Amino acid sequence: MNMSRRLAGEFLGTAFLLAVVIGSGIMGDRLAGDNVAIALLANTIATGAGLVALILTFGPISGAHFNPAVTLCDVWFGQLTSRQALMYIAAQVAGAFAGVAAAHGMFQEPLFFASQHIRTGPSQWWSEFIASFGLLAVIISCSRTRPTSTPFAVAAYITAAYWFTSSTSFANPAVTLARAASDTFAGIRPVDAPGFIIAQLLGAAAAVVIFKWLFASEKEISPYGNQDLPQPELRDLP
Amino acid sequence: MNMSRRLAGEFLGTAFLLAVVIGSGIMGDRLAGDNVAIALLANTIATGAGLVALILTFGPISGAHFNPAVTLCDVWFGQLTSRQALMYIAAQVAGAFAGVAAAHGMFQEPLFFASQHIRTGPSQWWSEFIASFGLLAVIISCSRTRPTSTPFAVAAYITAAYWFTSSTSFANPAVTLARAASDTFAGIRPVDAPGFIIAQLLGAAAAVVIFKWLFASEKEISPYGNQDLPQPELRDLP
Amino acid sequence: MNMSRRLAGEFLGTAFLLAVVIGSGIMGDRLAGDNVAIALLANTIATGAGLVALILTFGPISGAHFNPAVTLCDVWFGQLTSRQALMYIAAQVAGAFAGVAAAHGMFQEPLFFASQHIRTGPSQWWSEFIASFGLLAVIISCSRTRPTSTPFAVAAYITAAYWFTSSTSFANPAVTLARAASDTFAGIRPVDAPGFIIAQLLGAAAAVVIFKWLFASEKEISPYGNQDLPQPELRDLP
Amino acid sequence: MNMSRRLAGEFLGTAFLLAVVIGSGIMGDRLAGDNVAIALLANTIATGAGLVALILTFGPISGAHFNPAVTLCDVWFGQLTSRQALMYIAAQVAGAFAGVAAAHGMFQEPLFFASQHIRTGPSQWWSEFIASFGLLAVIISCSRTRPTSTPFAVAAYITAAYWFTSSTSFANPAVTLARAASDTFAGIRPVDAPGFIIAQLLGAAAAVVIFKWLFASEKEISPYGNQDLPQPELRDLP
């Protein structure tokens, strides 16, 4: 019961995240024509702003992970069991595909169609490693020391990462899978997805190792959630 | 007396909201020429920033609904009587038209002139459904769990929604009616307005149903307002 | 002594504000060429972001008025004597011209040179009236009900107002005078300045009248400053 | 031990800062082509957003200086010993070069290659003086009076300074050195670096002198850090 609400939150939040990423990519692409910088700028501003709204909205319900890498780190920190994490990840992946379909419906595209956007090679994998390392660094530190700022920090980080990485910073395995099903501005070839996901998980793992050391002297490490707000549904899981 | 101040707040706030939407649309359109992406980017940034300022300013006075869909949900949640809601909606619609006229005056356009901008069809209605569902989701969850962040969450959401929906996210029946009276960048043909409004109300209703369930275990649901601030005028209505 | 620090704050803050407005106008104009929309977008983002930083920085020192219209309203609300207000306004005007000169020095322009940018006519005066009305509305309401958000609300408002008014929202007599001494992107012909200033003062006065009524039931009206922070230098004036 | 964590924080944070500045410069340059205004706009938004995320993330660990000028002012205010400051500066410079290399790796550029971007002359030095004066003003005042807003104030200031100075506001000696090793959009000729660094240090020193006077009546001056948060690692240094 408790868990069903949290899974609904992850599903809805991840669906909206993908709708924002895919939808604003299509809109930017259509309006900006061959000016890719303008299209990416619109895609960036929409994604950054969308993340602020979505994390503030779904944070109190599910913790607003929207990202299997974040959920797996939660297991590492002892906040979730493996079984709970699997359910979270299933909700995220399902939500991600639902969001892609919702965006395609808004722009009269097929529900799903495999992307032909080539995104591969060491420099892009290195980008995904750096992007995911940074994302987890932001989440671990902020949620532990100033949780009310976490939604703004995460959104600001992704806003920057869209531009400072050559991969435009997917940094999220569920997002990567779903973007493979969209042959639009934000897509990625299905065959390129595994390379991205492996790099993302390695980057996230590196962040956990380093930030566990950085915060080692603290008595309790509770990396996610908003401890300064009453969160009855997040306290005790079934 | 109390209510008259609140209605003045809704009137002024909605008027400024429309002045921002219409005025920045005209300015962007005139300066950007045929580069619609730049025009929409300017329109987006102005609207998002304007919403931050307006909700912070009028929140303590009227709750800063500016939107009949929000007011109707307030009735559903038992925060307003139907009669109070009608007065709110009348103030919003009057303010919306006043804001359109004010913007037209700033840019030497006729006070009102019917839009010829075609906005219709299932994908645009679906966009309005999604946009309004998300807007109410943000408002219900944030105002209940972190009200001081609500102005930023709502503004960020609309910033994103201008780009991730094919309708550019009106998500507001009063705004829709008033934009029909402006044959400028942000306009909508009067004949297309009903389709948008129906989709908006359905999306808002769906959000209320789902978020009532998501927050069902909480003892009290008070979806709007800023409970952590002293708000004498919002406490007891006549 | 106390007052000298506050005047130094107004001088420095207004100087930086003008350096931001003029400097980013020149930079945008030079880089964007004949794409005025991009130039104004850069000018807007720089001004909005600059205001956040400057109001946060100088708020605890002088209240961060930077604007004679704001200072005069402070007199109306009984927060400053007329003599103190005159000193504030002198510091603001001197700072504004210093900031223009500083910006010109950064971009290898003459220290001062009269603008030839025509900005006149009823629609621009109406724009300045609306812009100033809204600015004072934001300041009066936010500083009274949520002072820690005021810097963000004011900056967001000006960000929007650059685009929703045909005058690009000067909304500040000291800024208007100093911009007349800069024949660059942000300039205004000296002969056009009085019309702007009169419209600004009328708009500000209208806001004070209306918001005095809106907040009439409250026991104490203290429209500026950040009451929730320790501000020894702002408490008792000589 | 304590100090090693703080140095790791400065290293990582400065590395990410440079990765953001250099990486988004390359991306903007590649996508925007000869439209330098769009490239700088992307560079600006990425840097501003990145600073929000990085200062929030590393503030509780090291104070998030990322800047020798800030560290030296900390010595002036008696917050750090000279020896500690030297270690901080070494970590910042090392991190800055690591970040440049990381960004180059993401965009398939050589690890390091000397910039040929000419940035010299009195107007650019004056720009760096002003930029650094303002940066230290923001940091000293905000961290002393409203530390939770400092990350947003610093990021907003740099966002504005990219546009209102003709040098695009380096304002940081470590950043200047490392950008000399990148022949990309954000680079600076090695021979031009000393002029920038001298101007930066003079601007920072001027800010300390003036703001020491502005805040002289206060009993304790603690210009950096976030005193309202528990910061065990920042309290007592070895």
Side-chain angles (χ1 to χ4, degrees):
Chain A
M1 175 70 167
N2 238 352
M3 193 61 174
S4 66
R5 287 202 178 85
R6 295 174 68 168
L7 295 177
E10 284 297 298
F11 176 88
L12 279 173
T14 314
F16 261 100
L17 175 57
L18 266 291
V20 170
V21 170
I22 298 290
S24 67
I26 297 173
M27 183 70 121
D29 196 29
R30 288 191 186 169
L31 295 186
D34 51 343
N35 192 329
V36 186
I38 300 283
L40 186 59
L41 206 53
N43 196 208
T44 301
I45 288 172
T47 304
L51 276 169
V52 167
L54 294 174
I55 302 175
L56 285 170
T57 299
F58 292 99
I61 295 167
S62 70
H65 295 194
F66 310 158
N67 188 340
V70 173
T71 299
L72 288 173
C73 292
D74 231 1
V75 176
W76 199 333
F77 279 107
Q79 303 283 314
L80 286 179
T81 67
S82 300
R83 195 173 149 281
Q84 291 166 339
L86 279 179
M87 294 165 74
Y88 255 57
I89 293 171
Q92 290 157 2
V93 172
F97 278 92
V100 168
H104 287 169
M106 290 193 277
F107 289 94
Q108 294 185 288
E109 301 279 2
L111 274 198
F112 299 110
F113 56 139
S115 173
Q116 303 182 43
H117 195 142
I118 299 171
R119 299 186 194 262
T120 189
S123 69
Q124 299 229 7
W125 299 330
W126 173 236
S127 288
E128 285 300 305
F129 178 89
I130 294 282
S132 305
F133 179 93
L135 176 61
L136 267 289
V138 169
I139 293 173
I140 294 171
S141 178
C142 290
S143 59
R144 191 167 162 287
T145 63
R146 48 184 92 189
T148 56
S149 294
T150 307
F152 301 95
V154 169
Y157 176 78
I158 293 296
T159 298
Y162 262 41
W163 284 91
F164 80 76
T165 63
S166 64
S167 64
T168 69
S169 189
F170 285 48
N172 183 327
V175 166
T176 305
L177 287 176
R179 284 167 72 161
S182 178
D183 193 19
T184 63
F185 184 78
I188 176 173
R189 277 193 315 180
V191 72
D192 297 338
F196 267 47
I197 291 172
I198 290 166
Q200 291 159 6
L201 295 176
L202 291 175
V208 172
V209 169
I210 288 177
F211 278 78
K212 275 208 161 190
W213 170 70
L214 280 171
F215 286 117
S217 65
E218 300 301 311
K219 49 185 178 294
E220 184 184 67
I221 294 178
S222 54
Y224 310 116
N226 299 283
Q227 296 87 341
D228 49 346
L229 289 171
Q231 295 182 301
E233 285 165 309
L234 285 172
R235 285 302 172 213
D236 46 304
L237 279 168
Chain B
M1 175 70 167
N2 238 352
M3 193 61 176
S4 65
R5 286 203 178 85
R6 296 174 69 169
L7 295 177
E10 284 297 299
F11 176 88
L12 279 172
T14 313
F16 261 99
L17 175 57
L18 266 290
V20 170
V21 171
I22 297 290
S24 66
I26 296 173
M27 182 70 121
D29 195 29
R30 289 191 186 169
L31 296 186
D34 51 344
N35 193 330
V36 186
I38 300 284
L40 186 59
L41 206 53
N43 197 207
T44 301
I45 289 172
T47 304
L51 276 170
V52 166
L54 294 174
I55 301 176
L56 285 170
T57 299
F58 292 100
I61 296 167
S62 69
H65 295 193
F66 310 159
N67 188 340
V70 172
T71 300
L72 288 174
C73 292
D74 232 0
V75 176
W76 198 334
F77 279 107
Q79 303 284 312
L80 286 179
T81 67
S82 300
R83 195 174 149 281
Q84 291 166 340
L86 279 178
M87 294 164 74
Y88 254 57
I89 292 171
Q92 290 158 2
V93 172
F97 278 92
V100 168
H104 286 168
M106 290 194 277
F107 288 94
Q108 295 185 288
E109 301 280 1
L111 274 198
F112 299 110
F113 56 138
S115 173
Q116 302 181 43
H117 195 141
I118 299 171
R119 297 185 195 263
T120 189
S123 69
Q124 299 229 7
W125 300 331
W126 173 236
S127 289
E128 286 300 304
F129 178 89
I130 293 284
S132 305
F133 178 93
L135 176 61
L136 267 290
V138 170
I139 293 174
I140 294 171
S141 178
C142 290
S143 59
R144 190 166 165 287
T145 62
R146 47 184 92 191
T148 56
S149 293
T150 307
F152 301 95
V154 169
Y157 176 78
I158 293 295
T159 298
Y162 262 42
W163 284 90
F164 80 74
T165 63
S166 64
S167 64
T168 70
S169 188
F170 286 47
N172 183 328
V175 165
T176 304
L177 287 176
R179 285 168 72 162
S182 177
D183 192 18
T184 63
F185 185 78
I188 176 175
R189 277 192 316 178
V191 70
D192 296 339
F196 267 47
I197 291 172
I198 290 166
Q200 291 158 6
L201 295 176
L202 291 175
V208 172
V209 168
I210 287 177
F211 278 79
K212 276 208 162 192
W213 170 69
L214 280 171
F215 286 117
S217 66
E218 301 301 311
K219 49 185 178 294
E220 185 184 67
I221 293 178
S222 54
Y224 310 114
N226 299 282
Q227 296 87 343
D228 48 346
L229 290 169
Q231 295 183 301
E233 286 165 308
L234 285 172
R235 286 301 174 214
D236 46 304
L237 277 168
Chain C
M1 176 68 168
N2 238 352
M3 193 60 175
S4 65
R5 286 203 179 83
R6 294 174 68 169
L7 295 177
E10 284 296 299
F11 176 87
L12 280 172
T14 314
F16 261 100
L17 175 57
L18 266 291
V20 170
V21 171
I22 298 290
S24 66
I26 297 173
M27 183 69 121
D29 196 29
R30 289 191 186 169
L31 295 186
D34 51 343
N35 192 330
V36 186
I38 299 285
L40 186 59
L41 205 53
N43 197 208
T44 301
I45 289 172
T47 304
L51 277 169
V52 167
L54 294 174
I55 301 176
L56 285 170
T57 299
F58 292 100
I61 295 168
S62 70
H65 295 194
F66 310 159
N67 188 340
V70 173
T71 299
L72 288 173
C73 292
D74 233 359
V75 176
W76 198 336
F77 278 107
Q79 304 283 314
L80 285 179
T81 67
S82 299
R83 192 171 151 284
Q84 292 166 339
L86 279 178
M87 294 165 74
Y88 254 58
I89 292 171
Q92 290 158 1
V93 172
F97 278 91
V100 168
H104 287 168
M106 289 193 277
F107 288 94
Q108 295 186 288
E109 301 280 2
L111 275 198
F112 298 110
F113 56 139
S115 173
Q116 302 181 43
H117 195 141
I118 299 171
R119 297 187 195 262
T120 190
S123 69
Q124 299 228 8
W125 298 331
W126 173 237
S127 289
E128 285 300 305
F129 178 89
I130 294 284
S132 304
F133 178 93
L135 176 61
L136 268 290
V138 170
I139 293 174
I140 293 170
S141 178
C142 290
S143 59
R144 189 166 165 289
T145 62
R146 48 184 92 191
T148 57
S149 293
T150 307
F152 301 95
V154 169
Y157 176 78
I158 293 295
T159 298
Y162 262 42
W163 284 90
F164 79 74
T165 62
S166 64
S167 63
T168 69
S169 188
F170 286 48
N172 183 328
V175 165
T176 304
L177 288 175
R179 284 168 72 162
S182 178
D183 192 19
T184 63
F185 185 78
I188 176 175
R189 277 193 317 180
V191 71
D192 296 339
F196 267 47
I197 292 172
I198 290 167
Q200 289 159 7
L201 294 177
L202 291 175
V208 173
V209 169
I210 288 176
F211 278 77
K212 275 208 162 192
W213 170 70
L214 279 172
F215 285 117
S217 65
E218 300 300 311
K219 49 184 179 293
E220 186 185 66
I221 293 178
S222 53
Y224 310 115
N226 300 281
Q227 295 88 341
D228 48 345
L229 289 169
Q231 294 183 302
E233 285 164 309
L234 284 172
R235 285 300 172 216
D236 46 306
L237 276 168
Chain D
M1 175 68 168
N2 238 352
M3 192 61 175
S4 65
R5 288 203 178 84
R6 295 175 67 169
L7 295 177
E10 285 296 299
F11 176 88
L12 280 173
T14 314
F16 261 100
L17 175 57
L18 266 291
V20 171
V21 170
I22 298 290
S24 67
I26 297 172
M27 183 70 120
D29 196 29
R30 288 190 186 169
L31 295 186
D34 51 344
N35 193 330
V36 186
I38 300 284
L40 186 59
L41 205 54
N43 197 209
T44 301
I45 289 172
T47 304
L51 277 169
V52 166
L54 294 174
I55 301 175
L56 285 170
T57 299
F58 292 100
I61 295 167
S62 70
H65 295 194
F66 310 158
N67 188 340
V70 172
T71 300
L72 288 173
C73 292
D74 233 359
V75 176
W76 199 335
F77 278 107
Q79 303 284 312
L80 285 179
T81 67
S82 301
R83 193 172 151 281
Q84 291 167 339
L86 279 178
M87 295 165 73
Y88 254 57
I89 292 170
Q92 289 158 2
V93 172
F97 278 91
V100 169
H104 287 168
M106 290 193 278
F107 288 94
Q108 294 184 287
E109 302 280 0
L111 274 198
F112 299 111
F113 55 139
S115 173
Q116 303 182 44
H117 195 142
I118 299 171
R119 298 187 194 261
T120 189
S123 70
Q124 299 228 7
W125 299 331
W126 173 237
S127 288
E128 285 301 305
F129 178 89
I130 294 284
S132 305
F133 178 92
L135 176 61
L136 267 290
V138 169
I139 293 173
I140 293 171
S141 178
C142 290
S143 59
R144 190 167 164 287
T145 62
R146 47 185 93 190
T148 56
S149 293
T150 307
F152 300 95
V154 168
Y157 176 78
I158 293 295
T159 298
Y162 261 42
W163 285 90
F164 79 75
T165 63
S166 64
S167 63
T168 68
S169 188
F170 285 48
N172 183 327
V175 165
T176 305
L177 286 176
R179 285 167 71 162
S182 177
D183 192 20
T184 63
F185 185 78
I188 175 173
R189 277 193 316 180
V191 71
D192 296 339
F196 266 48
I197 291 172
I198 291 167
Q200 290 158 8
L201 294 177
L202 290 175
V208 173
V209 169
I210 288 177
F211 277 79
K212 275 208 161 190
W213 171 70
L214 279 172
F215 285 116
S217 66
E218 301 300 312
K219 50 184 179 293
E220 186 184 67
I221 294 177
S222 54
Y224 311 115
N226 299 282
Q227 295 87 341
D228 48 346
L229 289 170
Q231 295 182 302
E233 286 164 309
L234 285 172
R235 284 302 173 213
D236 46 305
L237 277 168

